[in-house]
Amino acid sequence: MHPDQATPAQPEQGAQRPQEAVLLANPDGSMATGVPPGLAGEPKMESPQTGYLRLGSALFTVQDFIDIFHRHLGFFQLLVFFLMLIEVLYLGRKFVLREDEILLIHEHYPTLSLVACQRIFFGVLGLECGFLAVTLVLAVVACWSGRPKYFKIFGDVCLGGVAGSFLLAYLRLAKVNLLVVLLRMLAWAYSHFMGRIGRILLLNRQAPAAAPAPTV
């Protein structure tokens, strides 16, 4: 053999070529299939239900995501139920004590007549009742459909309700109920969490089935 002729490299004795496809986790959470050279036939792909999804730095199966979604959906419905209950009780108490509320408005705006203050009170009360009805409808639609956009809309409306409560308090037209504000903030945070999980499932074409209608 000529001395300048290169000698092909010999594989190491201990090295073994993999004989089956392997799954590789990408940084974005998606999965890729690695096929070794010379592997005959198509690699066996996993079912989407046994694939992996990423939430933060943790990997979960799609079925885990669906189980997490439905488990937290129950907690979300319970939170919405308590929010609606507290708001109904608050508005009911406000209606029962309407005379005191009207006099309080008149104290802050002495130039207005009692009739005008009464109209302002019922106008604000009607606005709060309408907001409560809209919030309830959005919560039912979000829980029934499981769509991320409805959870986001519901959360944004709750956050807007918090801002509206402080605005009415600044105008001396209503009092701030701290419990209602706290529950609205929790509903806003929880709805965005639910929307994030639902969005990941939709992106992987594994959206959860529609949940049963809530009892709130």
Side-chain angles (χ1 to χ4, degrees):
M1 181 175 64
H2 195 275
D4 295 336
Q5 185 176 359
T7 303
Q10 299 294 330
E12 298 180 5
Q13 296 296 329
Q16 295 182 357
R17 177 180 297 178
Q19 299 300 319
E20 59 182 11
V22 295
L23 292 177
L24 305 175
N26 297 319
D28 61 352
S30 60
M31 302 297 294
T33 304
V35 182
L39 181 64
E42 295 293 333
K44 182 179 179 181
M45 301 297 295
E46 285 193 348
S47 169
Q49 292 292 336
T50 59
Y52 291 88
L53 302 175
R54 182 179 294 274
L55 181 62
S57 60
L59 285 175
F60 298 90
T61 64
V62 175
Q63 188 60 44
D64 287 339
F65 263 84
I66 295 177
D67 294 339
I68 291 173
F69 182 89
H70 287 288
R71 182 167 60 251
H72 283 280
L73 184 62
F75 296 147
F76 178 78
Q77 291 175 347
L78 188 62
L79 175 61
V80 171
F81 172 77
F82 278 112
L83 174 60
M84 297 297 110
L85 178 62
I86 296 300
E87 291 209 39
V88 168
L89 293 177
Y90 169 70
L91 294 178
R93 177 184 178 275
K94 189 174 181 179
F95 178 78
V96 172
L97 302 177
R98 57 186 179 277
E99 298 296 336
D100 296 335
E101 296 287 340
I102 293 172
L103 290 177
L104 186 61
I105 295 176
H106 184 65
E107 290 180 3
H108 294 302
Y109 297 93
T111 57
L112 297 178
S113 63
L114 286 177
V115 176
C117 293
Q118 185 179 18
R119 292 176 180 175
I120 292 175
F121 168 77
F122 282 108
V124 173
L125 183 63
L127 183 65
E128 291 177 327
C129 291
F131 177 82
L132 176 62
V134 171
T135 305
L136 178 60
V137 170
L138 289 175
V140 171
V141 172
C143 293
W144 180 264
S145 64
R147 296 292 179 176
K149 64 178 181 179
Y150 295 121
F151 283 105
K152 182 179 184 304
I153 294 174
F154 172 80
D156 293 341
V157 169
C158 288
L159 190 61
V162 172
S165 297
F166 284 106
L167 178 61
L168 292 176
Y170 175 77
L171 296 175
R172 306 296 180 86
L173 299 178
K175 297 179 182 179
V176 175
N177 190 316
L178 295 180
L179 182 57
V180 171
V181 170
L182 176 61
L183 290 176
R184 286 178 180 174
M185 293 298 297
L186 288 176
W188 168 76
Y190 218 148
S191 63
H192 279 264
F193 171 74
M194 296 294 297
R196 183 181 180 186
I197 297 179
R199 192 176 302 110
I200 293 175
L201 290 172
L202 284 178
L203 289 177
N204 288 269
R205 298 181 181 179
Q206 293 295 330
T215 56
V216 297

